[in-house]
Amino acid sequence: MVINYITYDSWWDTDITIIPELVKEYHLNVFVLSPFDNCKYPQKEIGRNVKLVHVHQKYRDRDLRSIGTAIKYFFKIYKECRRKDYINIFIPGKNPFFIILTLLFLSKKRTIICSHNYIEHGDTKFRGSKLVDFLKERFYQSFKWFHFYSKMQMDLFKKDYPSKNAFFTEMPLKDFGIAPIIEKKGNEVTLLFFGLIRDYKQLDLLIKAVNNLENPNLKVIIAGKATKEEQEKYLSLIKDKSIYELNFEFIPNENIPTIFSKADFLVLPYRSATQSGPSLIAINYSVPIIASDIVPFSDMVEDGVNGFLFESNNCEALTAVLKKVLMLNEEDISCLRRNQSKYREDYIRNNDICKLFQQFINDKILYQI
């Protein structure tokens, strides 16, 4: 059985964690449409047993000149669909011309639509155009098989489309290599805010909560790409810059283990989320999490066991948690780490992605072909 994994560069950081799971049982052709000349992850990083096909999209999604790219990309995929033993896993992007081609010609019986966000969240500027939203609605109506990366998103979809066949898997943990052992500085507690900085992640809430603390024995690491305007906004909020380590640039993968090894806690003060890459990195490296009490964080953090939860959008509640954290001794934090390590083991054991895909393909799709 061959799987044609059809995706876009914007989802590539996520896909790179899924592919090693699927290749355990299937031959994979991975198709990536990207605005860059070179693929973000080259062949050597995704494995020799995977055929990688990268197509460069030179123009913007809705530029009429991208029609040629959409046709080129589609026919590279279509050639692999002429065989008898294939399944498509398709992550819809925002090129309307390619979406139209797939709606017209991609097999409805052999295609799983893989949706990261059925209901969008966060910054509206990252949402699709009205045309793309309309075409995605046609996807949900036309195709038969659907996969989601959270139960919450699947349940929202099933509420609108109760007759559709859908399943979900949790995202794989994100492992970027062995974390070095870094010696702590006395009883200082290190908080980490990590990842692409966006308004809905509410870095300002964390900064304001830290400002509320009096003479904290605290270090705050902020590591993630931000625009110049965003940098100025957050820098203007900081009261004591001496306790901050700031890096507003893109963080290379090879630097991630060191950053997380410095942290006692990852802080996620988001007001909305569907999945969270930083939380999956923290779990992988057994770093306890401080997070707002929204799904999915309330599903992965047991308050006081492997981290702490606070009321979403409530600066006073976050301040109270930080005060509690500063009262912890070394053994308390080690206990939280051990519990996070146990959660990591359970998470991996209960989330066999390849097995769940295989079960859905065998029981649902192949049964009806």
Side-chain angles (χ1 to χ4, degrees):
M1 174 68 69
V2 172
I3 286 182
N4 297 318
Y5 195 97
I6 307 162
T7 187
Y8 287 78
D9 179 81
S10 55
W11 295 119
W12 201 205
D13 285 323
T14 298
D15 298 327
I16 199 70
T17 66
I18 305 296
I19 289 166
E21 299 295 321
L22 295 177
V23 81
K24 293 175 183 176
E25 291 292 336
Y26 300 101
H27 297 288
L28 258 67
N29 298 319
V30 178
F31 298 88
V32 184
L33 186 62
S34 164
F36 306 108
D37 289 329
N38 298 311
C39 197
K40 186 184 296 182
Y41 295 102
Q43 181 74 55
K44 65 180 182 180
E45 291 192 33
I46 64 172
R48 288 179 294 178
N49 296 327
V50 177
K51 177 183 176 182
L52 176 63
V53 179
H54 171 257
V55 173
H56 174 214
Q57 180 177 303
K58 185 177 180 180
Y59 304 105
R60 292 179 180 272
D61 288 325
R62 283 173 281 169
D63 190 317
L64 290 175
R65 290 173 293 181
S66 71
I67 293 176
T69 304
I71 293 172
K72 176 183 177 182
Y73 186 49
F74 179 80
F75 274 99
K76 284 182 178 291
I77 296 163
Y78 196 71
K79 283 194 296 185
E80 296 294 338
C81 294
R82 291 182 296 182
R83 58 190 305 148
K84 294 181 179 179
D85 59 338
Y86 77 90
I87 295 292
N88 298 318
I89 296 177
F90 179 39
I91 298 92
K94 294 182 179 179
N95 182 314
F97 312 111
F98 181 68
I99 292 176
I100 290 169
L101 287 171
T102 53
L103 271 170
L104 291 174
F105 300 113
L106 212 59
S107 170
K108 307 298 187 294
K109 292 182 178 180
R110 291 181 175 269
T111 300
I112 301 171
I113 301 300
C114 183
S115 178
H116 287 268
N117 298 326
Y118 174 63
I119 302 296
E120 295 285 355
H121 73 97
D123 299 349
T124 56
K125 66 181 178 180
F126 289 101
R127 298 179 186 179
S129 66
K130 289 183 179 180
L131 173 60
V132 170
D133 291 341
F134 171 80
L135 291 173
K136 284 187 177 180
E137 186 69 23
R138 303 288 79 74
F139 259 105
Y140 296 128
Q141 294 173 357
S142 302
F143 284 86
K144 299 180 64 175
W145 319 112
F146 297 88
H147 168 253
F148 297 89
Y149 285 114
S150 76
K151 186 177 185 301
M152 176 186 71
Q153 290 288 313
M154 184 186 74
D155 289 344
L156 290 169
F157 170 77
K158 290 290 286 183
K159 185 177 180 180
D160 292 339
Y161 299 96
S163 64
K164 296 291 185 178
N165 287 280
F167 73 111
F168 82 97
T169 62
E170 302 288 356
M171 291 297 302
L173 298 181
K174 291 178 176 282
D175 189 341
F176 295 94
I178 298 172
I181 297 173
I182 295 179
E183 192 171 336
K184 283 180 59 66
K185 182 181 176 182
N187 294 322
E188 183 180 74
V189 174
T190 301
L191 306 179
L192 171 63
F193 184 97
F194 181 85
L196 197 65
I197 293 175
R198 293 289 177 252
D199 184 62
Y200 73 90
K201 297 182 180 181
Q202 296 196 125
L203 173 57
D204 54 334
L205 195 74
L206 172 59
I207 294 172
K208 290 173 183 176
V210 171
N211 287 344
N212 290 337
L213 303 174
E214 294 184 10
N215 302 315
N217 187 19
L218 188 68
K219 180 179 181 181
V220 183
I221 300 173
I222 299 174
K225 188 171 179 59
T227 65
K228 186 176 180 180
E229 292 76 16
E230 288 168 335
Q231 293 179 42
E232 291 173 354
K233 169 188 172 182
Y234 295 118
L235 286 171
S236 69
L237 295 175
I238 295 174
K239 187 166 68 174
D240 181 3
K241 291 184 173 61
S242 68
I243 64 172
Y244 282 82
E245 180 181 312
L246 303 172
N247 184 353
F248 287 117
E249 301 299 325
F250 173 78
I251 309 299
N253 288 350
E254 59 267 24
N255 294 350
I256 292 174
T258 299
I259 291 172
F260 274 79
S261 67
K262 293 179 180 180
D264 293 305
F265 295 91
L266 174 72
V267 186
L268 302 169
Y270 298 13
R271 64 168 170 262
S272 64
T274 49
Q275 307 100 30
S276 165
S279 68
L280 299 174
I281 302 172
I283 293 168
N284 184 69
Y285 291 109
S286 301
V287 177
I289 296 171
I290 298 170
S292 52
D293 59 353
I294 60 171
V295 176
F297 305 137
S298 58
D299 291 335
M300 62 178 61
V301 177
E302 186 176 351
D303 191 50
V305 177
N306 63 334
F308 298 96
L309 295 171
F310 66 92
E311 184 182 357
S312 177
N313 295 314
N314 189 325
C315 186
E316 288 72 24
L318 177 53
T319 302
V321 168
L322 296 184
K323 288 179 178 178
K324 183 189 297 185
V325 162
L326 289 172
M327 297 294 291
L328 300 177
N329 58 38
E330 187 175 341
E331 175 54 31
D332 294 330
I333 295 176
S334 294
C335 182
L336 290 165
R337 281 187 173 274
R338 288 194 296 271
N339 291 337
Q340 187 71 300
S341 182
K342 174 65 166 55
Y343 180 83
R344 177 185 183 275
E345 294 171 5
D346 293 342
Y347 187 98
I348 293 172
R349 183 172 58 252
N350 296 328
N351 190 41
D352 189 331
I353 291 173
C354 185
K355 182 178 179 181
L356 292 168
F357 265 97
Q358 191 176 28
Q359 183 177 336
F360 187 82
I361 290 170
N362 291 343
D363 294 351
K364 299 288 186 179
I365 301 177
L366 297 183
Y367 178 75
Q368 295 192 25
I369 291 177

